[in-house]
Amino acid sequence: MEAISVGSDPRLYFQVGKIKISEGMKCLQELVQWYQSNFTPENAAILDESMTYLQSLQRQVQETIEIKQQNDKFTTTLNEELVLDANLENSSGFKRKRCSNDWENFIFVDSNGEERAQCKYCKRDIVVSSKSETRFLICHLQIFPNLRNPNGGANKAKEECVVDRELNGFDVIRKIIKYGLNGIKNGIVDVYKQEKDELRGYLEKIPSRFTLAFEVLSTRDRSLSYLAIKVGFIDDSWKQKARIICLEEVILGSYEKILKRSLENFNIDKKICFVHFSYFSSARIEVINDIFERGSIPIIGNFVPVFPLLEHLEHHVLWGAWRHKILDKVRRLVGYVRSSTNGNKFQSSVKNALSMGKKITSQNFPPEPYENVYLLEWVIGYKEALFELGHIDTNCNSINFTKEDWDKTIALHSILKVVKGAFRSLYNCKIITALLHFQVVCHIYFNLLQWKNSDDHYVQEIASGLGEFCDQLWNNCKILVMNVIVDPCFKMDGIEQWFKESYGNEADTYLQQIIEVTTNVYIEYARGINYGDRAISNASPEAELNSYFKDPKVDSGEEFDILTWWRLNASAYPTLARIARDFLPMPKFTEFGYSVVTDDEPIMMNPDLDDYLKLVMLQTKLWLSY
């Protein structure tokens, strides 16, 4: 088909072109049908080439539409165009001088003697040989206002092209409208892989160990469950950071393989310092111990925040009380005494007990709703009065509160009193520190050891069912003591002082266990430090530790930042700096991924998206937010 000339008939030219296009489309349709029945890996290239050609046709159609829009929108006269485009030769070798500022958005190229302007943003070529060249360029920029990026056009163009290098601007939008997000699945997956590789490279450069946390999350309707895996760390600028490295669907709670595979994919399975749990679960701890091979298991172990530990202990103790029906009988006693018909009888019993020289420690009824520890305390305080009430009122004896029940009530109260005291110390403190958490956990741990060896059979029974819980308390102690020591506001002084105040003559016995833990951890870290690079080349690991403890403590205040302090003093205490960097990153992990799942439920519940694409989009969105 010859090129159109001045003497050609445009209508005839169009009709001939339309016939040839129809013949070409028919050939392509036959090619697709042939491909469906003759699929081989070798034939895949034919389909790819066909798709590339069709996409090029789409771009040519779009350019035609642009020219039509340009002619419809602008009616600039020929004289106005000549003013904008003076016929002077510019420095680039082109015959015409460009006075309009809009030319700054284009790069000029010479293709076989034909002047063309290439848009800096969308990379399209526009013929500029006609006198209306400026009008076309201005129109191009106004039709596509989002192409221009004042903060860096080249970068913006790169971002738009990352979905599909063959698609730009409205082409991508058309494809999404026509096929949905599945239509650009390959592009989305490519972005996902790029972001994953970038995050992997970033984490591989972090020299410190990581804190690991994971949660199994569900959508609001509980139809889908996902495993969210997060790692916490301190970067090279001594800033605390956290990254979600995986968000993947789980079925029937089976997440062990996903967890292990994710850690291996990011090459951090050998760099976990400890695992952070939002609550105590012996089953989860067992899973973690099975995942990590010997030698790559965390240096310390697992960590559970103090409040969930106390809640677990309280629940375990109360469950035993309900199983033995102690709390049920106690509540029936209180209800019986508080009834209007028995109130006077009870008051008489109190007077009789006091007249006989018996001790009454309770005064008023416990406030409602009854809290178990105060309920037990009230009953124990009125024990002698309740005995007297049984002598004058046979109906009270129907509750059948035996001597064994009284012994269990007293034992139960002694345990719950320790637990409630721990809760109170945390609630009443304005500033929660690692030292306070250490004190609370250590106090519960050493009490639990005593309860296991108690002469009271009931107390021993309660403590005997907390073997794994006791181990977890000790793990917490080891992690928290390292946090306290690397805090220049406390160091070892705060720990020693607390043991002396709490345990008196037995303080040295308990303190020695803590010192042994810290010494072993320090020696392990010191093996990886090259002391020849230090200012004092003959210094030993023990010299660094002793120097740190002898140096004055830092005054704590609202403006004190422990990470900033270590950034400035890491060169003076290299071993302790490594310990601080590994043990200090403990961000708030509780429900850290719940908002991710709930906020993006339109993606997760979209029936038009396949499951893999949902996960890829959600994970990529998280990585792009960092």
Side-chain angles (χ1 to χ4, degrees), residues 272-288:
I272 303 299
C273 184
F274 58 89
V275 183
H276 187 289
F277 291 95
S278 59
Y279 59 91
F280 176 77
S281 169
S282 57
R284 282 194 168 192
I285 292 174
E286 184 177 352
V287 167
I288 287 296

Side-chain angles (χ1 to χ4, degrees), residues 73 91 120 162 207 218 234 277 286 333 438 455 523 534 541:
K73 185 172 183 179
S91 59
K120 291 183 179 180
V162 91
S218 300
I234 295 175
F277 291 95
E286 184 177 352
L333 270 178
F438 171 78
D455 295 332
I523 292 175
R534 294 185 57 189

Side-chain angles (χ1 to χ4, degrees), residues 277-388:
F277 291 95
S278 59
Y279 59 91
F280 176 77
S281 169
S282 57
R284 282 194 168 192
I285 292 174
E286 184 177 352
V287 167
I288 287 296
N289 292 337
D290 290 341
I291 287 177
F292 290 99
E293 302 174 358
R294 183 174 296 276
S296 65
I297 199 163
I299 247 181
I300 294 296
N302 308 308
F303 180 85
V304 180
V306 179
F307 279 105
L309 283 175
L310 294 178
E311 290 169 354
H312 178 86
L313 177 58
E314 183 180 34
H315 175 78
H316 177 84
V317 174
L318 292 177
W319 180 83
W322 284 112
R323 185 164 57 88
H324 289 277
K325 298 182 178 180
I326 300 300
L327 288 176
D328 180 56
K329 290 184 177 182
V330 168
R331 289 179 179 273
R332 288 170 60 192
L333 270 178
V334 174
Y336 183 84
V337 169
R338 294 202 67 172
S339 65
S340 57
T341 56
N342 299 320
N344 293 331
K345 296 179 183 178
F346 177 68
Q347 294 300 327
S348 298
S349 299
V350 172
K351 293 179 181 179
N352 291 338
L354 291 173
S355 65
M356 298 170 62
K358 295 182 178 180
K359 189 176 181 180
I360 303 293
T361 58
S362 296
Q363 295 182 358
N364 301 318
F365 286 102
E368 295 187 74
Y370 300 137
E371 190 170 352
N372 293 308
V373 65
Y374 299 122
L375 196 66
L376 295 172
E377 188 174 308
W378 183 88
V379 170
I380 293 172
Y382 277 119
K383 177 181 178 181
E384 298 299 335
L386 291 171
F387 275 142
E388 292 300 318

Side-chain angles (χ1 to χ4, degrees), residues 109-339:
V109 296
D110 189 353
S111 177
N112 298 325
E114 183 181 46
E115 294 184 22
R116 304 182 70 88
Q118 185 182 78
C119 178
K120 291 183 179 180
Y121 312 118
C122 69
K123 305 304 181 184
R124 288 191 178 93
D125 288 347
I126 299 175
V127 178
V128 296
S129 58
S130 69
K131 294 181 180 180
S132 58
E133 55 187 23
T134 304
R135 182 182 62 183
F136 287 159
L137 301 185
I138 296 174
C139 182
H140 177 80
L141 295 173
Q142 292 189 1
I143 292 174
F144 301 99
N146 294 328
L147 291 177
R148 276 192 278 192
N149 178 16
N151 296 325
N155 291 337
K156 182 64 178 179
K158 183 178 179 180
E159 292 176 6
E160 292 180 352
C161 293
V162 91
V163 174
D164 188 336
R165 296 185 182 276
E166 297 297 329
L167 298 178
N168 289 284
F170 290 156
D171 295 339
V172 177
I173 298 175
R174 288 188 180 90
K175 194 167 185 179
I176 294 174
I177 293 174
K178 186 174 181 180
Y179 303 105
L181 291 173
N182 286 313
I184 57 170
K185 179 177 179 179
N186 292 338
I188 294 175
V189 173
D190 286 342
V191 175
Y192 164 79
K193 291 178 179 178
Q194 291 174 14
E195 293 299 321
K196 183 176 181 179
D197 290 342
E198 183 177 344
L199 179 58
R200 183 190 294 110
Y202 172 67
L203 296 179
E204 286 178 349
K205 293 178 182 178
I206 301 297
S208 63
R209 292 177 178 265
F210 297 88
T211 299
L212 172 68
F214 62 94
E215 291 287 349
V216 177
L217 313 164
S218 300
T219 52
R220 287 190 178 93
D221 62 355
R222 302 292 178 182
S223 61
L224 298 172
S225 297
Y226 298 87
L227 174 67
I229 306 174
K230 191 173 189 178
V231 292
F233 57 94
I234 295 175
D235 65 10
D236 292 335
S237 61
W238 284 87
K239 299 294 183 182
Q240 184 167 283
K241 299 293 181 63
R243 295 289 185 270
I244 293 180
I245 62 171
C246 175
L247 196 62
E248 190 167 333
E249 184 176 3
V250 292
I251 301 175
L252 300 177
S254 178
Y255 53 83
E256 297 90 339
K257 292 182 179 179
I258 299 176
L259 183 58
K260 186 173 183 179
R261 183 183 71 246
S262 297
L263 296 177
E264 291 175 348
N265 284 343
F266 283 90
N267 297 325
I268 58 175
D269 53 314
K270 303 289 195 303
K271 295 179 64 178
I272 303 299
C273 184
F274 58 89
V275 183
H276 187 289
F277 291 95
S278 59
Y279 59 91
F280 176 77
S281 169
S282 57
R284 282 194 168 192
I285 292 174
E286 184 177 352
V287 167
I288 287 296
N289 292 337
D290 290 341
I291 287 177
F292 290 99
E293 302 174 358
R294 183 174 296 276
S296 65
I297 199 163
I299 247 181
I300 294 296
N302 308 308
F303 180 85
V304 180
V306 179
F307 279 105
L309 283 175
L310 294 178
E311 290 169 354
H312 178 86
L313 177 58
E314 183 180 34
H315 175 78
H316 177 84
V317 174
L318 292 177
W319 180 83
W322 284 112
R323 185 164 57 88
H324 289 277
K325 298 182 178 180
I326 300 300
L327 288 176
D328 180 56
K329 290 184 177 182
V330 168
R331 289 179 179 273
R332 288 170 60 192
L333 270 178
V334 174
Y336 183 84
V337 169
R338 294 202 67 172
S339 65

